[in-house]
Amino acid sequence: APGYSQADRETVHRVLAEVLHREQDADRRAWHRAAAAPGEDDDVAQELELTAERARQRSGFAAAARALERAAELSSDDEARGRRLVRAAEDAWLAGRPERASALIARTTRLVTDPLVRADVVHLRGTIELRCGVPADALVTLSGGAAEIAAMAPAKATEMLIEAGQSASYAGDAAQIVEMGRRAKSLLRADDADQRFSVD
């Protein structure tokens, strides 16, 4: 507001956060604490991550994405920042905002080193390409991502190969449909009936 300094606004948000102490006020309290934070604050970032979880449980994916994006901004650690941006991108995608999801994913490039989180990045990038872009490009992205993660997380790789097979189908590449199916089948565990059904 005009006439008020940033410090004044932070003070007001801090006071509001202090009076919102009931359990049902947790999300509003987290947002006021975030508005009062002058810089990085891992405790507030954690509170916003919990806010995002609650929003996701009620299918409030746009709200979850906003909370995680702000949590990422408040994170002092690059890996935590990257992980939160990836989750924000996934929620933005589920909220029907592919452009926002892609923009958030693009911000993770130099932050994410964990191979499992990197696999989530590649998977989402490939899914967006499959649904909104060029299926042949999605095939390359998903197939390559699956190869990188297959030894460490075969179930994740199988999910990516199933979508890669869909990409090949949309691209009209029969040979790659068969190849993605062959690769997915080679990763199946005998006791995973759900994935066996999908692969079949």
Side-chain angles (χ1 to χ4, degrees):
Y4 293 94
S5 70
Q6 179 64 27
D8 291 334
R9 286 191 288 275
E10 288 171 5
T11 299
V12 169
H13 283 295
R14 196 171 297 109
V15 169
L16 287 169
E18 287 169 6
V19 299
L20 292 168
H21 51 78
R22 297 176 307 171
E23 187 177 335
Q24 61 262 40
D25 296 327
D27 295 339
R28 291 172 58 206
R29 180 174 56 249
W31 277 109
H32 282 298
R33 287 194 69 202
E40 295 169 349
D41 189 320
D42 290 319
D43 290 338
V44 177
Q46 179 61 35
E47 281 187 47
L48 283 172
E49 193 161 6
L50 294 172
T51 290
E53 282 293 327
R54 288 187 288 271
R56 196 177 295 113
Q57 288 170 7
R58 61 179 185 272
S59 300
F61 297 112
R66 282 193 302 276
L68 283 165
E69 183 176 6
R70 181 63 178 129
E73 292 167 356
L74 293 169
S75 301
S76 63
D77 172 74
D78 279 352
E79 198 69 32
R81 184 177 299 117
R83 179 182 53 77
R84 286 169 173 150
L85 285 172
V86 173
R87 299 286 96 82
E90 290 170 345
D91 286 329
W93 168 248
L94 292 172
R97 301 187 62 202
E99 300 87 0
R100 185 76 196 127
S102 294
L104 288 164
I105 281 292
R107 290 169 55 188
T108 69
T109 305
R110 291 183 303 278
L111 299 173
V112 174
T113 60
D114 183 307
L116 294 174
V117 180
R118 278 202 325 261
D120 289 338
V121 169
V122 174
H123 191 180
L124 182 57
R125 190 177 286 134
T127 299
I128 294 170
E129 190 65 41
L130 169 60
R131 305 295 178 206
C132 304
V134 179
D137 292 345
L139 170 60
V140 171
T141 299
L142 291 163
S143 173
E148 289 179 16
I149 201 69
M152 182 181 297
K156 178 68 169 176
T158 302
E159 289 175 25
M160 295 170 78
L161 288 167
I162 290 168
E163 286 194 46
Q166 292 174 352
S167 304
S169 176
Y170 296 162
D173 191 335
Q176 285 301 309
I177 297 171
V178 172
E179 176 63 12
M180 295 305 106
R182 184 195 63 74
R183 285 175 55 191
K185 186 175 181 180
S186 74
L187 296 174
L188 275 177
R189 289 192 341 253
D191 62 344
D192 197 335
D194 289 341
Q195 280 206 330
R196 180 168 297 283
F197 176 81
S198 298
V199 170
D200 287 346

